[in-house]
Amino acid sequence: MSLVYCAGCQSAGTGTDSDSTANTHLVDTIKPVEKLYDMNVAAIKKHMELQKHLEDENNRTSYTDADVDIAIPLLAEALKEKKFVQPSNEAFQQKIRSLFGDQALQPNYCGVKQHDKFYTVLAKEHGDEFDYTEDNIMVSKENNFLFSMPFLGDFVTFTDSTHYKINLSPVQVARNRYLLNDSKADLAYLLAEDTLFIKSLVLRFGYTADQKLNDVAMNDIGRSNDEEIAKVCEYIFVKDCKGQLQIREGLLQWITDHSDANENRMALAIYDYATSLYTNDAARSLKNNPNTYWDKEQKRKIAAYIINTWMPLNEKYAAANPGKWSVANLIDNLKVYDQGLEEYIAKNNYFSKDYLKKEIGARL
């Protein structure tokens, strides 16, 4: 250490400019020493070896919560080194609600797998939390951060028999610093390097609070053909693992904000979805037939939200481009199949939508 220190000092004997320049150049080329760790070495080595055989047909091992427990303190240390600030418990819980909904913090919620030190928010109904091909998100209970299913060999490297270094993926750091520390610089990185995670966050987990993230997910859908665009409805109107309807209003608002006289493909997709609630005319690309997938009350609520989105757009743009928009009234079309629709919407206080109160209230 003394040698490194003196190399950066100015010589007291000469004090010449050439010496100063040389010393400065030497200091600039000195790389910071990588931090080495020695905690829990035996267990880390053991599980690193086990994880090598997760797909070994002859000597297959299984991934368990013990693998995650060992990784959590390593991930926490690596995030700390990368200037991640652990939020308070109260702030963290509020973030979790914002990201995954209130139900994520409910005891025994079927969309979350609970463990002593972490829990896993499942990306799809009845998913396998230890299937690395799924977009599940794990949450540290003690250290208040998010992470993907960790494999020790991806970020732990032994330098000798008793020491190792930790090199955490930049995207894992950026996700936590953006989502939990509100780092705008990390948002720019994610938008450039982590679009698959962004689309999963918006479309699978329903996080629609950030317009820039919505743009990534929805613009990707918008570049598809009409059959694929129809699938947006299954990301907007979602049945959770309890069978409860969830409506992602942020995506409906995105459709409102990005429709005009000449662009109405997503608006037409939700219009068609409304009629398919009562017929068997659903797009072939849809995973579930809306006519049989939803119960009567769920259909009526979905119809109300589509009316609230479609009809103001149609009223605004139909005159300018009647070839793309419709002269038909969606409420009248749906009443052919459901005579009590208007009364149901009124009974539910128009779902607190001013347009519904004005339009349907005038009809009753």
Side-chain angles (χ1 to χ4, degrees):
M1 292 299 293
S2 60
L3 178 61
V4 174
Y5 175 79
C6 291
C9 299
Q10 185 178 32
S11 170
T14 62
T16 63
D17 290 341
S18 59
D19 289 340
S20 176
T21 302
N23 289 337
T24 300
H25 177 71
L26 181 59
V27 171
D28 289 344
T29 61
I30 296 175
K31 296 181 179 180
V33 177
E34 287 187 291
K35 188 170 183 178
L36 298 180
Y37 301 88
D38 60 4
M39 58 183 181
N40 213 13
V41 167
I44 291 172
K45 284 185 174 181
K46 172 185 175 182
H47 281 265
M48 285 182 73
E49 183 60 32
L50 290 171
Q51 289 174 15
K52 291 178 181 178
H53 301 283
L54 291 173
E55 296 183 355
D56 188 339
E57 294 184 1
N58 298 318
N59 186 27
R60 187 183 300 272
T61 57
S62 298
Y63 194 99
T64 70
D65 55 348
D67 291 276
V68 183
D69 289 345
I70 289 171
I72 286 175
L74 306 180
L75 296 172
E77 182 65 24
L79 285 169
K80 181 180 177 182
E81 289 294 316
K82 295 296 184 180
K83 310 303 181 185
F84 168 71
V85 179
Q86 179 179 323
S88 67
N89 290 335
E90 181 179 357
F92 186 63
Q93 289 183 3
Q94 183 57 42
K95 289 286 188 179
I96 293 299
R97 292 188 183 95
S98 174
L99 290 167
F100 309 118
D102 292 340
Q103 69 274 7
L105 294 175
Q106 295 173 359
N108 302 317
Y109 175 62
C110 50
V112 172
K113 296 289 188 180
Q114 292 284 349
H115 301 272
D116 290 341
K117 297 182 179 180
F118 71 98
Y119 56 90
T120 304
V121 187
L122 301 178
K124 65 181 183 181
E125 184 179 356
H126 307 305
D128 179 357
E129 68 172 324
F130 295 142
D131 182 347
Y132 65 89
T133 65
E134 297 184 8
D135 298 324
N136 302 323
I137 296 179
M138 294 176 169
V139 182
S140 169
K141 292 182 177 181
E142 296 180 359
N143 303 100
N144 294 353
F145 67 88
L146 311 173
F147 57 105
S148 300
M149 182 178 168
F151 293 96
L152 295 171
D154 288 344
F155 61 94
V156 174
T157 304
F158 274 87
T159 58
D160 57 39
S161 61
T162 57
H163 296 88
Y164 55 89
K165 57 185 179 180
I166 306 173
N167 295 307
L168 192 57
S169 164
V171 297
Q172 296 287 345
V173 176
R175 290 174 188 179
N176 280 281
R177 292 197 308 204
Y178 166 63
L179 294 173
L180 303 178
N181 291 164
D182 299 317
S183 169
K184 302 306 179 186
D186 287 290
L187 171 58
Y189 179 84
L190 293 175
L191 291 171
E193 302 292 339
D194 202 20
T195 55
L196 289 178
F197 173 77
I198 288 174
K199 286 185 283 188
S200 179
L201 198 61
V202 172
L203 300 177
R204 294 194 179 278
F205 295 103
Y207 180 66
T208 61
D210 191 311
Q211 193 65 30
K212 291 183 178 180
L213 304 192
N214 294 345
D215 287 344
V216 170
M218 297 293 274
N219 283 329
D220 185 64
I221 294 174
R223 286 188 286 267
S224 305
N225 59 35
D226 291 345
E227 279 286 311
E228 289 298 305
I229 287 174
K231 292 180 181 178
V232 73
C233 299
E234 295 188 309
Y235 296 120
I236 297 171
F237 307 107
V238 178
K239 185 183 292 189
D240 70 9
C241 58
K242 287 186 174 182
Q244 301 299 308
L245 167 64
Q246 298 178 351
I247 298 179
R248 291 160 179 176
E249 296 187 57
L251 300 185
L252 289 174
Q253 185 61 49
W254 192 95
I255 293 174
T256 294
D257 294 341
H258 291 79
S259 297
D260 58 37
N262 298 309
E263 178 51 66
N264 70 341
R265 291 177 301 160
M266 285 198 187
L268 278 176
I270 63 171
Y271 178 95
D272 290 341
Y273 196 82
T275 59
S276 68
L277 291 168
Y278 299 99
T279 67
N280 285 312
D281 297 332
R284 293 188 301 274
S285 59
L286 294 182
K287 179 180 178 182
N288 301 297
N289 183 348
N291 188 24
T292 56
Y293 190 61
W294 303 107
D295 65 31
K296 186 174 183 179
E297 289 196 353
Q298 290 171 333
K299 289 179 182 180
R300 286 175 163 178
K301 185 172 182 180
I302 292 170
Y305 275 76
I306 293 177
I307 290 168
N308 186 67
T309 303
W310 162 265
M311 288 190 56
L313 288 171
N314 193 55
E315 291 168 4
K316 185 176 182 180
Y317 298 121
N321 195 343
K324 279 190 171 289
W325 296 86
S326 174
V327 296
N329 185 294
L330 181 56
I331 298 176
D332 292 336
N333 286 353
L334 297 180
K335 279 182 62 180
V336 173
Y337 307 102
D338 188 349
Q339 291 292 326
L341 177 60
E342 292 172 319
E343 289 77 8
Y344 179 83
I345 294 173
K347 180 182 177 182
N348 284 274
N349 195 31
Y350 306 97
F351 297 104
S352 300
K353 305 299 181 186
D354 291 339
Y355 180 85
L356 293 180
K357 185 174 183 180
K358 173 179 72 70
E359 182 69 23
I360 293 177
R363 290 166 165 257
L364 298 176

